[in-house]
Amino acid sequence: MSETSNPLGAYLRARRELVTPEQAGIPEVGVRRVPGLRREEVAMLAGISADYYLRLERGRNRHPSMQVLESIARVLHLDEDHFAHLLTLVAEVSRQRRRRPRKETPPPGVLKLVDSLIQPAFIEDRYSTSSPRTAWPGRCLPAWRWAAIS
């Protein structure tokens, strides 16, 4: 996933690189391949799983709770302005993902075909929502009632 499609992950990565282990209170042991804190260290200090933090950085989970954001902000030493920016990144992701479902209408040829049938027929959309297309519910209602009673 590119940084333009995942601004939250890019921001978390950039801020994570700015915090040294000494600032976070972690003893520095051995040679580090990356500047700043490791993902696992941020997750441990924030009280979340390393897998969850990884999903946030990679853009696979874009709806963290306020408590998680506050914990991450505390670990990354974000001031009020930076925390406000973090919240706008999360809000942008939420706003982009919310779309009203379009009312789906079948193609005219399918409607014509189904309407020409004499037996009961219905059309399902991609969400398996069916809509009866023929006058069969009224004709079959007594049979349905009989099947439901017996």
Side-chain angles (χ1 to χ4, degrees):
M1 181 170 283
S2 69
E3 290 192 13
T4 58
S5 65
N6 184 16
L8 175 63
Y11 185 71
L12 289 175
R13 236 179 336 276
R15 296 301 303 189
R16 179 170 54 88
E17 292 174 355
L18 295 176
V19 179
T20 64
E22 294 85 29
Q23 290 173 326
I26 297 174
E28 193 167 338
V29 179
V31 178
R32 291 181 166 262
R33 294 185 300 177
V34 295
L37 294 176
R38 296 179 177 117
R39 287 185 185 107
E40 295 81 13
E41 293 168 341
V42 173
M44 178 190 67
L45 293 171
I48 59 176
S49 72
D51 182 53
Y52 183 68
Y53 185 79
L54 178 66
R55 289 194 314 254
L56 286 175
E57 268 199 13
R58 294 216 174 138
R60 288 183 281 169
N61 188 339
R62 297 184 177 193
H63 302 287
S65 68
M66 185 59 70
Q67 183 179 7
V68 168
L69 291 174
E70 288 171 349
S71 297
I72 292 173
R74 179 182 42 79
V75 171
L76 298 178
H77 302 289
L78 300 183
D79 60 8
E80 289 182 19
D81 293 334
H82 289 108
F83 183 64
H85 180 67
L86 179 66
L87 293 179
T88 59
L89 293 175
V90 173
E92 285 177 11
V93 169
S94 299
R95 198 173 325 127
Q96 290 172 355
R97 302 209 70 191
R98 278 190 219 152
R99 288 186 291 163
R100 289 186 178 157
R102 293 186 328 207
K103 179 158 176 61
E104 295 186 359
T105 56
V110 173
L111 293 173
K112 186 175 179 182
L113 171 71
V114 172
D115 288 339
S116 69
L117 299 173
I118 58 172
Q119 65 267 23
F122 63 92
I123 300 172
E124 284 187 350
D125 62 5
R126 74 175 83 190
Y127 306 108
S128 298
T129 306
S130 61
S131 60
R133 292 298 306 167
T134 56
W136 65 282
R139 290 185 295 207
C140 296
L141 190 59
W144 281 356
R145 194 174 294 148
W146 180 81
I149 294 171
S150 61

